[in-house]
Amino acid sequence: MSQKRRDLAALFVLALLVRLAVALLISRPGYMDSAYYAAGAVNLAQGGGLDEPFIWNTLDDPAGIPHPGFLYWMPLPSILAAPFAARFPGSFLALQLPFVLLSALLPLVGYELALAATGRRRNGWVAGLITLFSGFF
């Protein structure tokens, strides 16, 4: 196995552990967007499709409920989380799992970009770790 592959594998495992540890600390959606996507995933997992069986806000003024959902937000996060909602009902951690996996790939992108730009492995690691511990995600 090449050094680059070992670096990427180690960085991915580290990122996965960090992201999973952070996800374990979050027991429910913390803001409106994540709550909307979680509700959409649960509804989709329960066979409700992409409809909203609730009035989310006053911006869309629905004629009744249920009504079409995802007219403002795109449905992909709910679609990704729905199989986990179906397999592990009531678990917000389960809804986070596809995003834990996807976000663990971001440090690898940072590593690759820095390595391609500078040709230095050390810079790849720095970029990957900055991406992992950026605080924003």
Side-chain angles (χ1 to χ4, degrees), residues 33-120:
D33 293 9
S34 61
Y36 182 83
Y37 286 127
V42 169
N43 189 53
L44 192 56
Q46 294 174 345
L50 296 176
D51 289 341
E52 293 176 4
F54 48 81
I55 296 177
W56 184 248
N57 60 45
T58 59
L59 297 176
D60 60 358
D61 192 24
I65 49 178
H67 61 98
F70 301 98
L71 299 177
Y72 180 77
W73 287 290
M74 296 289 101
L76 184 59
S78 292
I79 292 169
L80 292 175
F84 295 89
R87 180 70 177 97
F88 305 101
S91 170
F92 185 63
L93 176 62
L95 297 178
Q96 295 179 79
L97 290 178
F99 308 103
V100 165
L101 291 169
L102 288 171
S103 68
L105 295 173
L106 292 174
L108 279 60
V109 173
Y111 178 99
E112 284 287 349
L113 288 173
L115 187 63
T118 67
R120 294 186 174 179

Side-chain angles (χ1 to χ4, degrees), residues 4-21:
K4 178 181 166 182
R5 283 188 182 206
R6 281 193 296 272
D7 286 352
L8 290 172
L11 190 55
F12 179 72
V13 169
L14 176 63
L16 197 58
L17 291 172
V18 168
R19 301 293 192 208
L20 190 57

Side-chain angles (χ1 to χ4, degrees), residues 11 110-111 114 120-132:
L11 190 55
Y111 178 99
R120 294 186 174 179
R121 181 174 163 245
R122 180 175 178 265
N123 291 353
W125 269 102
V126 169
L129 292 173
I130 287 173
T131 305
L132 176 58

